[in-house]
């Protein structure tokens, strides 16, 4: 979601919330960031702006988001994936390094502007549950964005990584293959549950970004939850649109059907539940339900 594209709307909401807080002694005044209730209001306006954006523009922004997440994933492979020795002696630290650079992708999506499926699973829910918006709106958005994210991820995986041989014959390539094999070796329920945990954190990362009122706060709000879900090994469907295909391109013994059935489907369903239920629905109930 672009903070530039919808800057005027967000600033208007923030200004009204600030004035309202000052006029009422019974309301806690939040300085430097939006309160949880104000954040839900900003999210609702964001959902309305997404609804009103032309499908062609949404599709282009979705391709960009897939590319941005792929870039963050590639950076994680090049940095954290190139530490096989550390992975043996201190696996926790190696996972931290891997997770520490991955948030680049979501930061680019949020600040530069792009449409990411996982974040969008949460944005529309409060408006839908309050009947301000039809359920057809998020379903249409999710379908367009999901396809666009996949295309963007494949563009980076094939043209910018495989054809350039940027990780060929390196520890990063070996890591990519090991990661892909591990991601396609779990039973459905494990990948599904890991998908829930992942997008609970990712949607919260965007919630924190909307709560922040300056770019530093937005970056920090995104970095901590995203670093955490990656280090903990949870499943992000858009990131997996890069990790697994790039391993397939580099010779991993994984079929495209394995990728789709054993990972992409359960991870996607888990991500929808994690963002839609544990963030969108929970915060609607707490702060938007009449």
């Amino acid at each position: 979601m672009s903070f530039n594209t919808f800057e005027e709307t967000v600033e208007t909401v923030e200004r009204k919330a600030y004035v309202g807080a000052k006029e009422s002694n019974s309301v806690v005044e939040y300085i430097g960031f939006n309160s949880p209730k104000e954040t839900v209001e900003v999210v609702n306006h964001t959902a309305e702006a997404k609804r009103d954006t032309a499908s062609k523009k949404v599709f282009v922004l979705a391709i960009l988001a897939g590319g941005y997440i792929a870039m963050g994933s590639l950076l994680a492979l090049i940095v954290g994936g190139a530490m096989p020795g550390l992975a043996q002696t201190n696996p926790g630290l190696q996972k931290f390094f891997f997770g520490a650079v991955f948030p680049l992708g979501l930061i680019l999506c949020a600040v530069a502007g792009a449409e990411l499926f996982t974040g969008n699973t949460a944005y529309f829910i409060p408006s839908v549950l309050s009947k301000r918006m039809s359920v057809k709106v998020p379903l249409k958005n999710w379908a367009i964005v999901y396809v666009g994210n996949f295309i963007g991820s494949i563009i980076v995986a094939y043209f910018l990584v495989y054809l350039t041989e940027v990780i060929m014959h390196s520890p990063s390539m070996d890591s990519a293959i090991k990661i892909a094999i591990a991601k396609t070796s779990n039973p459905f329920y494990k990948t599904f549950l890991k998908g829930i945990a992942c997008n609970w954190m990712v949607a919260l990362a965007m919630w924190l970004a909307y709560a922040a009122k300056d770019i530093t706060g937005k970056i920090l709000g995104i970095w901590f939850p995203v670093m955490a879900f990656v280090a903990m090994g949870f499943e992000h469907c858009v990131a997996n649109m890069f990790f697994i295909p790039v391993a397939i391109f580099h010779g991993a013994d994984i079929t495209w059907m394995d990728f789709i059935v054993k990972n992409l489907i359960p991870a996607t369903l888990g991500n929808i539940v994690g963002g839609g239920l544990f963030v969108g629905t929970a915060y609607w109930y707490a702060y938007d339900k009449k």
Side-chain angles (χ1 to χ4, degrees):
M1 166 62 201
S2 170
F3 291 101
N4 297 323
T5 304
F6 307 113
E7 182 181 7
E8 184 177 345
T9 298
V10 172
E11 287 182 352
T12 300
V13 173
E14 291 175 350
R15 184 163 53 251
K16 288 180 178 179
Y18 177 77
V19 172
K22 293 195 69 175
E23 290 177 349
S24 175
N25 294 329
S26 63
V27 178
V28 177
E29 184 176 331
Y30 289 77
I31 301 176
F33 66 100
N34 293 314
S35 70
K37 184 174 180 60
E38 291 165 354
T39 300
V40 173
E41 187 176 353
V42 173
V43 168
N44 286 335
H45 282 271
T46 298
E48 292 171 4
K50 287 177 178 288
R51 177 197 61 195
D52 297 336
T53 302
S55 297
K56 292 180 180 179
K57 292 185 178 181
V58 171
F59 186 63
V60 171
L61 290 171
I63 292 175
L64 292 179
Y68 295 158
I69 297 299
M71 288 294 189
S73 302
L74 173 60
L75 183 60
L77 282 178
I78 290 175
V79 177
M83 299 178 175
L86 186 62
Q88 292 293 325
T89 59
N90 195 334
L93 186 58
Q94 185 271 336
K95 290 178 181 178
F96 172 77
F97 282 124
F98 195 98
V101 297
F102 180 89
L104 167 69
L106 193 59
I107 290 170
L108 290 175
C109 289
V111 180
E115 290 280 345
L116 185 64
F117 173 79
T118 46
N120 287 8
T121 60
Y123 300 148
F124 295 95
I125 301 304
S127 292
V128 170
L129 292 177
S130 293
K131 298 182 179 180
R132 294 187 297 268
M133 188 179 295
S134 167
V135 71
K136 294 179 181 179
V137 174
L139 293 179
K140 177 183 177 181
N141 176 274
W142 294 353
I144 295 171
V145 172
Y146 194 84
V147 174
N149 288 171
F150 189 87
I151 292 172
S153 299
I154 295 298
I155 288 173
V156 174
Y158 185 76
F159 291 99
L160 305 185
V161 180
Y162 176 65
L163 292 185
T164 62
E165 300 185 348
V166 70
I167 63 170
M168 189 72 76
H169 309 303
S170 71
S172 296
M173 186 187 81
D174 296 335
S175 293
I177 293 174
K178 289 179 181 178
I179 288 170
I181 291 173
K183 285 179 175 293
T184 54
S185 298
N186 287 320
F188 188 102
Y189 80 94
K190 283 188 179 180
T191 302
F192 174 73
L193 293 175
K194 287 183 176 182
I196 292 176
C198 163
N199 212 32
W200 192 351
M201 302 299 286
V202 171
L204 280 175
M206 290 306 302
W207 230 254
L208 295 182
Y210 282 121
K213 294 184 178 180
D214 60 76
I215 193 168
T216 301
K218 295 180 190 301
I219 291 172
L220 288 174
I222 290 169
W223 188 84
F224 279 97
V226 174
M227 175 278 295
F229 101 73
V230 175
M232 291 185 287
F234 296 139
E235 297 285 349
H236 188 276
C237 66
V238 181
N240 291 351
M241 292 174 185
F242 169 82
F243 281 124
I244 300 176
V246 83
I248 294 174
F249 295 146
H250 285 84
D253 187 19
I254 301 170
T255 67
W256 287 95
M257 187 59 69
D258 288 337
F259 162 46
I260 294 171
V261 174
K262 295 181 179 180
N263 181 272
L264 193 58
I265 291 175
T268 299
L269 294 175
N271 288 167
I272 292 172
V273 173
L277 179 62
F278 288 90
V279 179
T281 301
Y283 283 99
W284 164 78
Y285 182 80
Y287 295 108
D288 198 29
K289 187 178 184 294
K290 303 303 180 183

